[in-house]
Amino acid sequence: MDYVNAFWVGGLICALVQILMEKTKMLPGRIMVLLVCSGAVLGALQIYQPFQEFAGAGASVPLLGFGNTLWKGIQEAVNSDGFLGIFMGGFTASAVGISAALIFGYLASLIFQPKMKK
C-alpha cells in the first residue's frame, strides 16, 4: 500500500503543478520557488510531516519535500546554534541532495554532449 500511496500522491502533486503551468502565465522558475516555499510553510505549520509519513516518497521527492527539508534543517540549527542557525541549517540539511544534483548533472553533460539552444 505504501507504493500505491506514493504513486497517487506524487502524481497528484505533479498534475496540480502541470495545471498551474498550463492555466497561468507563471514561469517554471516561479512555480518551483512556490513549491519549495510551500513545503517550508507546511513544515513550519507541522502539516507536512504527517503528510510525508502517509505518502512516503510521493511527498518527499517533489520540491515540496525539498522545502520541508530546508525547514527542518533550519529549525534544528536554530535550536542548537541560535540565530546563526537560520543561515547554516538549510545548507547542512540539503547538502547531500544538492551535491548529488551537481555531480550527476555534470556527469550527464559529459555523456550526452549538451548544446546551446538557438
Side-chain angles (χ1 to χ4, degrees), residues 72-97:
K72 287 194 300 191
I74 291 170
Q75 185 180 26
E76 289 173 11
V78 166
N79 290 339
S80 65
D81 299 326
F83 181 74
L84 288 178
I86 295 172
F87 305 104
M88 299 183 324
F91 293 115
T92 305
S94 62
V96 173

PDB file of all heavy atoms in Angstrom, residues 72-97:
ATOM      1  N   LYS A  72      13.289  21.861   8.162  1.00  0.00           N
ATOM      2  CA  LYS A  72      13.742  21.027   9.270  1.00  0.00           C
ATOM      3  C   LYS A  72      15.194  21.319   9.611  1.00  0.00           C
ATOM      4  O   LYS A  72      15.569  21.364  10.785  1.00  0.00           O
ATOM      5  CB  LYS A  72      13.547  19.544   8.944  1.00  0.00           C
ATOM      6  CG  LYS A  72      12.094  19.114   8.985  1.00  0.00           C
ATOM      7  CD  LYS A  72      11.907  17.617   8.996  1.00  0.00           C
ATOM      8  CE  LYS A  72      12.481  16.933   7.795  1.00  0.00           C
ATOM      9  NZ  LYS A  72      12.087  15.522   7.674  1.00  0.00           N
ATOM     10  N   GLY A  73      16.028  21.522   8.604  1.00  0.00           N
ATOM     11  CA  GLY A  73      17.425  21.837   8.852  1.00  0.00           C
ATOM     12  C   GLY A  73      17.597  23.168   9.570  1.00  0.00           C
ATOM     13  O   GLY A  73      18.400  23.289  10.504  1.00  0.00           O
ATOM     14  N   ILE A  74      16.832  24.154   9.147  1.00  0.00           N
ATOM     15  CA  ILE A  74      16.903  25.465   9.794  1.00  0.00           C
ATOM     16  C   ILE A  74      16.407  25.372  11.232  1.00  0.00           C
ATOM     17  O   ILE A  74      17.012  25.928  12.148  1.00  0.00           O
ATOM     18  CB  ILE A  74      16.105  26.509   8.990  1.00  0.00           C
ATOM     19  CG1 ILE A  74      16.817  26.785   7.676  1.00  0.00           C
ATOM     20  CG2 ILE A  74      15.907  27.787   9.790  1.00  0.00           C
ATOM     21  CD1 ILE A  74      16.016  27.603   6.690  1.00  0.00           C
ATOM     22  N   GLN A  75      15.329  24.651  11.442  1.00  0.00           N
ATOM     23  CA  GLN A  75      14.768  24.509  12.788  1.00  0.00           C
ATOM     24  C   GLN A  75      15.771  23.831  13.731  1.00  0.00           C
ATOM     25  O   GLN A  75      15.981  24.287  14.859  1.00  0.00           O
ATOM     26  CB  GLN A  75      13.477  23.698  12.709  1.00  0.00           C
ATOM     27  CG  GLN A  75      12.731  23.585  14.010  1.00  0.00           C
ATOM     28  CD  GLN A  75      11.452  22.768  13.859  1.00  0.00           C
ATOM     29  OE1 GLN A  75      11.356  21.916  12.979  1.00  0.00           O
ATOM     30  NE2 GLN A  75      10.496  23.038  14.698  1.00  0.00           N
ATOM     31  N   GLU A  76      16.405  22.763  13.271  1.00  0.00           N
ATOM     32  CA  GLU A  76      17.389  22.070  14.105  1.00  0.00           C
ATOM     33  C   GLU A  76      18.602  22.950  14.393  1.00  0.00           C
ATOM     34  O   GLU A  76      19.113  22.978  15.515  1.00  0.00           O
ATOM     35  CB  GLU A  76      17.838  20.780  13.425  1.00  0.00           C
ATOM     36  CG  GLU A  76      16.779  19.705  13.393  1.00  0.00           C
ATOM     37  CD  GLU A  76      17.188  18.503  12.568  1.00  0.00           C
ATOM     38  OE1 GLU A  76      18.380  18.410  12.182  1.00  0.00           O
ATOM     39  OE2 GLU A  76      16.329  17.656  12.304  1.00  0.00           O
ATOM     40  N   ALA A  77      19.058  23.686  13.374  1.00  0.00           N
ATOM     41  CA  ALA A  77      20.235  24.538  13.560  1.00  0.00           C
ATOM     42  C   ALA A  77      19.939  25.714  14.479  1.00  0.00           C
ATOM     43  O   ALA A  77      20.794  26.113  15.275  1.00  0.00           O
ATOM     44  CB  ALA A  77      20.737  25.034  12.205  1.00  0.00           C
ATOM     45  N   VAL A  78      18.743  26.268  14.402  1.00  0.00           N
ATOM     46  CA  VAL A  78      18.381  27.362  15.305  1.00  0.00           C
ATOM     47  C   VAL A  78      18.310  26.855  16.738  1.00  0.00           C
ATOM     48  O   VAL A  78      18.752  27.533  17.666  1.00  0.00           O
ATOM     49  CB  VAL A  78      17.051  28.020  14.869  1.00  0.00           C
ATOM     50  CG1 VAL A  78      16.485  28.910  15.954  1.00  0.00           C
ATOM     51  CG2 VAL A  78      17.246  28.809  13.590  1.00  0.00           C
ATOM     52  N   ASN A  79      17.782  25.653  16.928  1.00  0.00           N
ATOM     53  CA  ASN A  79      17.707  25.091  18.278  1.00  0.00           C
ATOM     54  C   ASN A  79      19.092  24.833  18.869  1.00  0.00           C
ATOM     55  O   ASN A  79      19.284  24.958  20.076  1.00  0.00           O
ATOM     56  CB  ASN A  79      16.898  23.797  18.279  1.00  0.00           C
ATOM     57  CG  ASN A  79      15.426  24.049  18.031  1.00  0.00           C
ATOM     58  OD1 ASN A  79      14.929  25.143  18.239  1.00  0.00           O
ATOM     59  ND2 ASN A  79      14.734  23.028  17.556  1.00  0.00           N
ATOM     60  N   SER A  80      20.060  24.472  18.029  1.00  0.00           N
ATOM     61  CA  SER A  80      21.386  24.156  18.558  1.00  0.00           C
ATOM     62  C   SER A  80      22.354  25.336  18.512  1.00  0.00           C
ATOM     63  O   SER A  80      23.186  25.480  19.406  1.00  0.00           O
ATOM     64  CB  SER A  80      21.989  22.972  17.807  1.00  0.00           C
ATOM     65  OG  SER A  80      22.218  23.313  16.456  1.00  0.00           O
ATOM     66  N   ASP A  81      22.263  26.202  17.484  1.00  0.00           N
ATOM     67  CA  ASP A  81      23.245  27.275  17.311  1.00  0.00           C
ATOM     68  C   ASP A  81      22.671  28.674  17.484  1.00  0.00           C
ATOM     69  O   ASP A  81      23.402  29.649  17.363  1.00  0.00           O
ATOM     70  CB  ASP A  81      23.882  27.184  15.920  1.00  0.00           C
ATOM     71  CG  ASP A  81      24.616  25.879  15.715  1.00  0.00           C
ATOM     72  OD1 ASP A  81      25.187  25.365  16.695  1.00  0.00           O
ATOM     73  OD2 ASP A  81      24.597  25.362  14.579  1.00  0.00           O
ATOM     74  N   GLY A  82      21.395  28.779  17.699  1.00  0.00           N
ATOM     75  CA  GLY A  82      20.793  30.102  17.858  1.00  0.00           C
ATOM     76  C   GLY A  82      20.565  30.802  16.527  1.00  0.00           C
ATOM     77  O   GLY A  82      20.288  30.164  15.511  1.00  0.00           O
ATOM     78  N   PHE A  83      20.706  32.108  16.529  1.00  0.00           N
ATOM     79  CA  PHE A  83      20.387  32.935  15.370  1.00  0.00           C
ATOM     80  C   PHE A  83      21.168  32.541  14.117  1.00  0.00           C
ATOM     81  O   PHE A  83      20.638  32.583  13.006  1.00  0.00           O
ATOM     82  CB  PHE A  83      20.634  34.408  15.707  1.00  0.00           C
ATOM     83  CG  PHE A  83      20.313  35.344  14.584  1.00  0.00           C
ATOM     84  CD1 PHE A  83      19.000  35.629  14.255  1.00  0.00           C
ATOM     85  CD2 PHE A  83      21.327  35.937  13.847  1.00  0.00           C
ATOM     86  CE1 PHE A  83      18.697  36.488  13.217  1.00  0.00           C
ATOM     87  CE2 PHE A  83      21.034  36.798  12.803  1.00  0.00           C
ATOM     88  CZ  PHE A  83      19.715  37.071  12.493  1.00  0.00           C
ATOM     89  N   LEU A  84      22.424  32.154  14.265  1.00  0.00           N
ATOM     90  CA  LEU A  84      23.237  31.776  13.103  1.00  0.00           C
ATOM     91  C   LEU A  84      22.696  30.528  12.412  1.00  0.00           C
ATOM     92  O   LEU A  84      22.999  30.287  11.241  1.00  0.00           O
ATOM     93  CB  LEU A  84      24.692  31.567  13.512  1.00  0.00           C
ATOM     94  CG  LEU A  84      25.463  32.835  13.842  1.00  0.00           C
ATOM     95  CD1 LEU A  84      26.869  32.498  14.285  1.00  0.00           C
ATOM     96  CD2 LEU A  84      25.481  33.781  12.665  1.00  0.00           C
ATOM     97  N   GLY A  85      21.906  29.741  13.100  1.00  0.00           N
ATOM     98  CA  GLY A  85      21.318  28.552  12.513  1.00  0.00           C
ATOM     99  C   GLY A  85      20.390  28.861  11.353  1.00  0.00           C
ATOM    100  O   GLY A  85      20.182  28.020  10.473  1.00  0.00           O
ATOM    101  N   ILE A  86      19.850  30.075  11.325  1.00  0.00           N
ATOM    102  CA  ILE A  86      18.998  30.483  10.201  1.00  0.00           C
ATOM    103  C   ILE A  86      19.781  30.407   8.903  1.00  0.00           C
ATOM    104  O   ILE A  86      19.257  30.025   7.862  1.00  0.00           O
ATOM    105  CB  ILE A  86      18.448  31.908  10.421  1.00  0.00           C
ATOM    106  CG1 ILE A  86      17.517  31.939  11.626  1.00  0.00           C
ATOM    107  CG2 ILE A  86      17.737  32.424   9.177  1.00  0.00           C
ATOM    108  CD1 ILE A  86      17.092  33.331  12.034  1.00  0.00           C
ATOM    109  N   PHE A  87      21.045  30.758   8.961  1.00  0.00           N
ATOM    110  CA  PHE A  87      21.873  30.803   7.758  1.00  0.00           C
ATOM    111  C   PHE A  87      22.547  29.470   7.449  1.00  0.00           C
ATOM    112  O   PHE A  87      22.856  29.194   6.291  1.00  0.00           O
ATOM    113  CB  PHE A  87      22.930  31.902   7.904  1.00  0.00           C
ATOM    114  CG  PHE A  87      22.336  33.239   8.222  1.00  0.00           C
ATOM    115  CD1 PHE A  87      22.403  33.763   9.500  1.00  0.00           C
ATOM    116  CD2 PHE A  87      21.656  33.953   7.247  1.00  0.00           C
ATOM    117  CE1 PHE A  87      21.841  34.989   9.794  1.00  0.00           C
ATOM    118  CE2 PHE A  87      21.085  35.178   7.534  1.00  0.00           C
ATOM    119  CZ  PHE A  87      21.178  35.701   8.804  1.00  0.00           C
ATOM    120  N   MET A  88      22.786  28.648   8.459  1.00  0.00           N
ATOM    121  CA  MET A  88      23.506  27.397   8.270  1.00  0.00           C
ATOM    122  C   MET A  88      22.604  26.191   8.044  1.00  0.00           C
ATOM    123  O   MET A  88      22.968  25.272   7.313  1.00  0.00           O
ATOM    124  CB  MET A  88      24.377  27.093   9.501  1.00  0.00           C
ATOM    125  CG  MET A  88      25.411  28.126   9.785  1.00  0.00           C
ATOM    126  SD  MET A  88      26.489  27.739  11.179  1.00  0.00           S
ATOM    127  CE  MET A  88      25.452  26.927  12.347  1.00  0.00           C
ATOM    128  N   GLY A  89      21.440  26.165   8.641  1.00  0.00           N
ATOM    129  CA  GLY A  89      20.616  24.962   8.679  1.00  0.00           C
ATOM    130  C   GLY A  89      20.182  24.430   7.336  1.00  0.00           C
ATOM    131  O   GLY A  89      20.219  23.227   7.096  1.00  0.00           O
ATOM    132  N   GLY A  90      19.758  25.307   6.453  1.00  0.00           N
ATOM    133  CA  GLY A  90      19.295  24.863   5.138  1.00  0.00           C
ATOM    134  C   GLY A  90      20.400  24.214   4.329  1.00  0.00           C
ATOM    135  O   GLY A  90      20.187  23.212   3.647  1.00  0.00           O
ATOM    136  N   PHE A  91      21.603  24.775   4.420  1.00  0.00           N
ATOM    137  CA  PHE A  91      22.730  24.204   3.682  1.00  0.00           C
ATOM    138  C   PHE A  91      23.138  22.851   4.246  1.00  0.00           C
ATOM    139  O   PHE A  91      23.441  21.926   3.498  1.00  0.00           O
ATOM    140  CB  PHE A  91      23.932  25.162   3.721  1.00  0.00           C
ATOM    141  CG  PHE A  91      23.698  26.432   2.970  1.00  0.00           C
ATOM    142  CD1 PHE A  91      23.654  27.635   3.638  1.00  0.00           C
ATOM    143  CD2 PHE A  91      23.517  26.428   1.599  1.00  0.00           C
ATOM    144  CE1 PHE A  91      23.440  28.812   2.953  1.00  0.00           C
ATOM    145  CE2 PHE A  91      23.296  27.590   0.903  1.00  0.00           C
ATOM    146  CZ  PHE A  91      23.256  28.799   1.578  1.00  0.00           C
ATOM    147  N   THR A  92      23.131  22.737   5.545  1.00  0.00           N
ATOM    148  CA  THR A  92      23.511  21.482   6.182  1.00  0.00           C
ATOM    149  C   THR A  92      22.519  20.374   5.843  1.00  0.00           C
ATOM    150  O   THR A  92      22.913  19.257   5.504  1.00  0.00           O
ATOM    151  CB  THR A  92      23.582  21.658   7.712  1.00  0.00           C
ATOM    152  OG1 THR A  92      24.474  22.731   8.011  1.00  0.00           O
ATOM    153  CG2 THR A  92      24.060  20.400   8.388  1.00  0.00           C
ATOM    154  N   ALA A  93      21.254  20.683   5.891  1.00  0.00           N
ATOM    155  CA  ALA A  93      20.224  19.665   5.664  1.00  0.00           C
ATOM    156  C   ALA A  93      20.153  19.218   4.206  1.00  0.00           C
ATOM    157  O   ALA A  93      19.836  18.068   3.925  1.00  0.00           O
ATOM    158  CB  ALA A  93      18.866  20.196   6.107  1.00  0.00           C
ATOM    159  N   SER A  94      20.440  20.116   3.283  1.00  0.00           N
ATOM    160  CA  SER A  94      20.253  19.789   1.871  1.00  0.00           C
ATOM    161  C   SER A  94      21.554  19.572   1.117  1.00  0.00           C
ATOM    162  O   SER A  94      21.535  19.408  -0.105  1.00  0.00           O
ATOM    163  CB  SER A  94      19.446  20.900   1.203  1.00  0.00           C
ATOM    164  OG  SER A  94      20.165  22.125   1.270  1.00  0.00           O
ATOM    165  N   ALA A  95      22.676  19.544   1.800  1.00  0.00           N
ATOM    166  CA  ALA A  95      23.973  19.451   1.132  1.00  0.00           C
ATOM    167  C   ALA A  95      24.110  18.192   0.279  1.00  0.00           C
ATOM    168  O   ALA A  95      24.625  18.249  -0.844  1.00  0.00           O
ATOM    169  CB  ALA A  95      25.098  19.516   2.157  1.00  0.00           C
ATOM    170  N   VAL A  96      23.658  17.063   0.776  1.00  0.00           N
ATOM    171  CA  VAL A  96      23.807  15.810   0.029  1.00  0.00           C
ATOM    172  C   VAL A  96      22.992  15.849  -1.261  1.00  0.00           C
ATOM    173  O   VAL A  96      23.489  15.490  -2.330  1.00  0.00           O
ATOM    174  CB  VAL A  96      23.385  14.605   0.900  1.00  0.00           C
ATOM    175  CG1 VAL A  96      23.373  13.329   0.091  1.00  0.00           C
ATOM    176  CG2 VAL A  96      24.317  14.473   2.091  1.00  0.00           C
ATOM    177  N   GLY A  97      21.755  16.306  -1.190  1.00  0.00           N
ATOM    178  CA  GLY A  97      20.910  16.365  -2.376  1.00  0.00           C
ATOM    179  C   GLY A  97      21.429  17.342  -3.417  1.00  0.00           C
ATOM    180  O   GLY A  97      21.436  17.058  -4.619  1.00  0.00           O
TER     181      GLY A  97
END
